[in-house]
Amino acid sequence: QVQLVESGGGLVQAGGSLGLSCAASGSIFSINAMDWYRQAPGKQRELIAGITSGGGTNYADSVKGRFTFSRDNAKNTGYLQMNTLKPEDTAVYYCNAAVVALASRSVRYYWGQGTQVTVSS
């Protein structure tokens, strides 16, 4: 009943920028925390950024100062602006959200399908 869809990935040269979106739809009352993860080939999925319902953010050291996580609660959408991209940022990026269900007010975590980001050197 709830879907999470990421978009905005693609191919960019080192030093460039990309913006990712994570849009939630369905029977949603509200969204609590949202997180962005990424998984590079042969590596474990890692948490890179998080945002609270009030807009407070935290970042992994590897992206701090280059990535910015924001959200639009009215649209149930989170945004990850990625600047000064490096080849080591190449990965599949996943969004995770703690969704409060419209009917039950229970909280459940959802994952998006992922979007590929490739940074060429």
Side-chain angles (χ1 to χ4, degrees), residues 52-74:
T52 67
S53 57
T57 55
N58 57 80
Y59 302 93
D61 288 343
S62 58
V63 306
K64 196 173 296 183
R66 299 187 297 122
F67 290 12
T68 302
F69 198 171
S70 61
R71 62 188 291 169
D72 184 333
N73 291 334

Side-chain angles (χ1 to χ4, degrees), residues 12-15 38 40 66 84-91 93 117-121:
V12 64
Q13 287 189 330
R38 68 185 182 188
R66 299 187 297 122
T84 319
L85 283 161
K86 306 174 181 180
E88 51 264 43
D89 293 318
T90 295
Y93 284 69
V117 172
T118 303
V119 185
S120 63
S121 57

Side-chain angles (χ1 to χ4, degrees), residues 5-10 17-23 36-38 48 67-70 77-82 85 91-95 114-117:
V5 178
E6 300 103 335
S7 60
S17 298
L18 276 177
L20 305 183
S21 297
C22 171
W36 282 99
Y37 289 75
R38 68 185 182 188
I48 60 168
F67 290 12
T68 302
F69 198 171
S70 61
T77 300
Y79 305 95
L80 186 68
Q81 179 62 37
M82 306 184 294
L85 283 161
V92 178
Y93 284 69
Y94 298 91
C95 180
T115 186
Q116 176 70 46
V117 172

